Amino acid sequence: MDSNLLKTKSIEALVDDVEKGKHLKRTLTAFDLTLLGIGAIIGTGIFVLTGTAAANQAGPAITMSYVLAGLACGFAALCYAEFAAMIPISGSAYAYAYATLGEVIAWMIGWDLILEYAVGSMTVSIGWSGYFQRILAGFGVDLPVWMAAAPGTMPGAVINLPAIVIVLLITALLVVGIRESARFNATMVAIKLAAVLFFIVAGFKFVKPENWSPFAPYGWSGIMAAGAVVFFAYIGFDAVSTTAEEAKNPSRDLPIGIIASLVICTVLYIVVAGVLTGIVPVTHFRTLEAGLPGTPIVPLDQSTEFLNAPVAYALHVIDQDWAAGLISAGAVAGITSVLLVMLMGQPRIFFSMSRDRLLPERVSKVHPRFGTPYITTIITGVIVAVFAGLTPINVVGEMTS
């Protein structure tokens, strides 16, 4: 094999190339990075996965599943924090691979990340469209079928216009500036945290400790299986490392942002899981009676209602149906912030590879006024928007997995 394919680039050379050449504007603080991490991590998982994994795998011990998944992510977060502090540029795992494993490995990892963020953004934007249309339907507004879904998903469907619009709007925001994007993300994070905290506060006084017994009805294997399911709810914290080049003090702020966001989200996940399982006897809503012989099981329609929206169902149990709108707003805000961070991360990997001449160098331009990688951002936004508008969610969902 050509030795040039395995050549590495020293940390000093990577940082020096950035400082003397094209580089992004450093404007983000540790607080901004923490909010970006929370924005990337907390999506709809906290509103859906908790109930599903608790009912079918762990029971009230779902809290332990979140602890185990959080610990696993914590070790990865420590690695990301260490590398991000050492190599404070926008390439994330691509740059770390270039410094340690060589050019060809870095090129492959870079493309893996580009595809991961791009396809993930398509999936999230289509999901956002579904939630948005449900909220509109709640106000009696139904979009015409031709603009409501991708072709082939329902008769008369031509394009998923809401998915396209949200991608293009966020792309425009990301072009305008990372500081403006961080402020928008902070607003979305505030909305979804308000929804989560409301559920915790409103539901805490309705908790029945007897619902926590037996604590682990499915045993240790069930706790581990649920941990594998809820691990998905933690995905996203690594995207913070793509903004290393825009952090004011990366060696200090990046570790704080990555680890703090993971710790905050883990605590919220555990508390929400505890309150949910204390309000609702979750094992009664399992899908298979054989899973826990002798334990009561509700009719299938009730089980489906709970599994589709466990937090909303718990609010119904405690007669707080009026708060369903807040939970829906929190879900939409959660998806929006996840989409923002994913659309922010992908162009920065693209930009970093282009700057290293592993992709066309002409696209690694920084906007003279906004200080953002605007060409790679626009390319990413347009491609994601086209696929999101024309592809069914099950197709891009399988590609993401």
Side-chain angles (χ1 to χ4, degrees):
M1 181 182 287
D2 188 345
S3 60
N4 285 330
L5 293 178
L6 296 176
K7 71 177 181 181
T8 59
K9 203 170 186 179
S10 69
I11 294 174
E12 293 76 13
L14 283 167
V15 175
D16 193 55
D17 286 350
V18 170
E19 295 300 328
K20 292 182 179 179
K22 305 170 186 175
H23 58 272
L24 305 177
K25 189 188 296 184
R26 294 192 180 276
T27 60
L28 298 178
T29 64
F31 183 69
D32 294 324
L33 294 168
T34 300
L35 291 183
L36 285 172
I38 296 172
I41 295 170
I42 299 182
T44 58
I46 194 171
F47 300 108
V48 178
L49 289 180
T50 302
T52 302
N56 292 313
Q57 274 109 8
I62 184 67
T63 52
M64 292 300 299
S65 300
Y66 272 121
V67 171
L68 293 173
L71 282 173
C73 288
F75 290 119
L78 288 172
C79 295
Y80 268 99
E82 180 71 16
F83 273 115
M86 292 171 57
I87 310 175
I89 62 175
S90 62
S92 186
Y94 154 76
Y96 313 153
Y98 208 154
T100 57
L101 299 174
E103 186 174 281
V104 67
I105 303 298
W107 184 85
M108 289 189 289
I109 290 176
W111 270 110
D112 283 342
L113 291 171
I114 287 174
L115 292 173
E116 173 194 341
Y117 285 129
V119 177
S121 296
M122 296 169 199
T123 307
V124 173
S125 61
I126 298 170
W128 184 95
S129 173
Y131 270 91
F132 179 70
Q133 290 182 60
R134 265 181 248 168
I135 290 178
L136 289 181
F139 289 99
V141 178
D142 293 311
L143 295 180
V145 174
W146 69 267
M147 67 165 62
T153 55
M154 63 175 67
V158 176
I159 193 169
N160 192 333
L161 191 60
I164 292 176
V165 170
I166 189 61
V167 170
L168 294 180
L169 286 175
I170 290 180
T171 298
L173 177 64
L174 289 168
V175 168
V176 169
I178 186 64
R179 190 67 187 160
E180 291 74 12
S181 302
R183 287 173 184 156
F184 177 77
N185 175 72
T187 303
M188 294 297 101
V189 168
I191 293 172
K192 65 182 173 183
L193 287 183
V196 171
L197 292 174
F198 170 82
F199 174 72
I200 293 171
V201 173
F204 185 77
K205 60 183 177 182
F206 293 96
V207 168
K208 298 178 181 178
E210 57 267 27
N211 286 336
W212 291 331
S213 182
F215 182 68
Y218 294 96
W220 184 249
S221 61
I223 294 173
M224 296 299 290
V229 172
V230 301
F231 185 85
F232 177 80
Y234 286 99
I235 292 176
F237 68 88
D238 57 304
V240 177
S241 63
T242 65
T243 63
E245 200 170 312
E246 290 150 295
K248 286 184 177 180
N249 186 358
S251 61
R252 180 184 74 91
D253 295 345
L254 278 165
I256 292 174
I258 293 172
I259 296 171
S261 61
L262 188 62
V263 169
I264 291 169
C265 292
T266 299
V267 171
L268 288 175
Y269 283 160
I270 292 169
V271 176
V272 167
V275 172
L276 177 66
T277 55
I279 295 174
V280 180
V282 288
T283 54
H284 295 186
F285 296 84
R286 64 192 185 279
T287 52
L288 295 175
E289 186 173 5
L292 291 174
T295 301
I297 186 170
V298 301
L300 183 59
D301 58 337
Q302 288 186 42
S303 174
T304 302
E305 184 181 356
F306 171 77
L307 295 175
N308 285 341
V311 171
Y313 188 91
L315 288 171
H316 172 71
V317 169
I318 62 176
D319 296 322
Q320 300 290 325
D321 293 286
W322 62 271
L326 178 60
I327 298 301
S328 296
V332 171
I335 299 174
T336 305
S337 62
V338 170
L339 181 60
L340 170 72
V341 177
M342 295 186 83
L343 285 173
M344 177 184 66
Q346 199 269 17
R348 281 155 178 75
I349 305 294
F350 197 170
F351 170 80
S352 190
M353 292 179 69
S354 171
R355 187 170 54 192
D356 289 333
R357 297 181 178 86
L358 295 184
L359 288 173
E361 189 179 3
R362 285 176 296 179
V363 301
S364 61
K365 291 184 179 180
V366 178
H367 196 283
R369 177 183 172 190
F370 303 131
T372 56
Y374 70 106
I375 293 180
T376 55
T377 300
I378 292 171
I379 291 172
T380 298
V382 170
I383 292 174
V384 169
V386 170
F387 278 91
L390 300 175
T391 311
I393 191 169
N394 62 306
V395 175
V396 291
E398 290 173 4
M399 291 171 64
T400 303
S401 300

